[in-house]
Amino acid sequence: SRAFGVDGDTQAGFGSSYSTGLNEHALLWHGTAASYVDLNPAGFSTSGATCVSGSAQGGFADLTSNHIEHAILWHGTAASAVDLQSKQVPTGGSTMQAMDGNTQVGDGSSLNGTPGLHALVWHGTAESAMDYNPIGFSSSRAWGVSGSDVVGEGYGLATGQYTHAVLWKGAANAYLDLNPAGFDTSEGFATNGGRQAGYGIGALSQYRNHALVWQGTAQSALDLNAFLPADFDESQAFGINAAGDVIGVASVDRTYYYAVLWKAVPEPGAWSWLLTMGMGGGGLLIAGRGRRRNRQNRCEAGIYPADR
């Protein structure tokens, strides 16, 4: 089993067992293994839950008859499943990646076989589906949502055929290209409404992945790799909460990988992050402080494991 989404005391993900015919089924928990609910809807062979918001869960399920993936919305039971596959926005398949209240986001593939995905936004029903792929984009995906703000990625003629992080403000063509100068490509994975989190790669990052945080514009991008100790050469950000805390991963030589939490600390004229990094065994690796205004003061204290 794996868990991918959490809100309050509710967790969602998927699992497989002999009782499911070794097929993966979307699962819902309330804090204990014994509390699980199998969300796999009738008529679907496999499924997975990717996100939770209040009493609702979202994800995908594969239709048994043709194995096409459909975005699915649940409210606590398999019988409550709402198939979000849209006739208004015809796709060969779709999946939900994130949700906030009654807004769900994800992507769908083309019904006619045209390469590329389109970012999709729903409001609880298949009929509400909106295609967020902007003019000038060959493909796009939506990964995160907060209120009417949707964050993701896209590429096409409008981006010089490079993948760029994209922030949508309520409509397909009401979008902002978040790719900062000095980066060739970028992706946005999460938003708290005011800030967005993801990563970029380019000359400024020595062509390594660097975690980025934006405040709604490409020019506002802040490289969170600057808050890591010097031997950490890569990072990515996957989530951001209302306080601005960021979670992600950082690596040394693309060999040692560590879970990372950047704690946002407001300061006059800037932001700081308190950095904590967890090892696979659950131990604390580093606690330190970085400041945008003084990158030399990246880590004031560090504890490294014996094998490093």
Side-chain angles (χ1 to χ4, degrees):
S1 58
R2 297 186 182 187
F4 291 106
V6 60
D7 188 16
D9 69 344
T10 302
Q11 306 82 37
F14 69 82
S16 63
S17 70
Y18 288 111
S19 66
T20 68
L22 298 181
N23 290 322
E24 293 173 350
H25 281 196
L27 297 178
L28 165 68
W29 297 270
H30 293 288
T32 66
S35 68
Y36 86 93
V37 177
D38 188 333
L39 295 177
N40 195 71
F44 291 83
S45 55
T46 64
S47 56
T50 58
C51 50
V52 182
S53 181
S55 62
Q57 306 83 44
F60 61 89
D62 287 351
L63 198 61
T64 302
S65 60
N66 57 17
H67 298 291
I68 291 178
E69 197 170 82
H70 288 203
I72 302 291
L73 174 67
W74 293 273
H75 287 88
T77 66
S80 71
V82 177
D83 188 343
L84 296 182
Q85 189 81 343
S86 172
K87 296 179 181 178
Q88 284 73 22
V89 183
T91 59
S94 59
T95 187
M96 190 194 306
Q97 304 289 359
M99 61 193 306
D100 183 29
N102 195 39
T103 301
Q104 304 86 34
V105 304
D107 54 70
S109 59
S110 173
L111 186 65
N112 60 17
T114 303
L117 298 167
H118 281 200
L120 299 176
V121 176
W122 300 268
H123 294 290
T125 66
E127 293 73 23
S128 68
M130 293 176 288
D131 187 338
Y132 262 41
N133 195 68
I135 295 172
F137 283 69
S138 304
S139 181
S140 56
R141 304 187 75 175
W143 292 106
V145 59
S146 179
S148 61
D149 284 3
V150 176
V151 69
E153 65 185 76
Y155 73 86
L157 291 175
T159 67
Q161 303 298 349
Y162 288 98
T163 298
H164 283 189
V166 176
L167 172 63
W168 287 272
K169 305 289 287 187
N173 287 308
Y175 76 92
L176 296 165
D177 187 333
L178 295 181
N179 195 73
F183 288 82
D184 295 334
T185 65
S186 55
E187 295 184 66
F189 289 128
T191 178
N192 65 5
R195 291 182 172 82
Q196 304 79 39
Y199 80 98
I201 183 171
L204 279 184
S205 67
Q206 298 181 328
Y207 297 98
R208 298 288 186 117
N209 294 329
H210 278 196
L212 299 176
V213 169
W214 297 267
Q215 296 186 65
T217 66
Q219 294 77 14
S220 68
L222 178 63
D223 187 341
L224 291 182
N225 219 77
F227 297 89
L228 297 172
D231 55 342
F232 283 82
D233 52 8
E234 285 203 312
S235 57
Q236 290 178 285
F238 298 122
I240 184 168
N241 67 9
D245 302 334
V246 177
I247 58 167
V249 63
S251 69
V252 177
D253 297 328
R254 298 180 179 176
T255 302
Y256 302 98
Y257 289 85
Y258 302 91
V260 180
L261 169 65
W262 288 274
K263 293 285 290 181
V265 182
E267 290 187 342
W271 282 80
S272 292
W273 273 264
L274 175 67
L275 174 66
T276 59
M277 305 175 67
M279 299 173 59
L284 179 66
L285 173 64
I286 288 175
R289 181 181 294 275
R291 291 187 175 89
R292 178 167 59 176
R293 293 170 295 178
N294 182 6
R295 293 192 177 184
Q296 299 303 314
N297 187 21
R298 292 182 183 174
C299 188
E300 297 175 347
I303 301 173
Y304 290 83
D307 63 357
R308 291 212 34 235

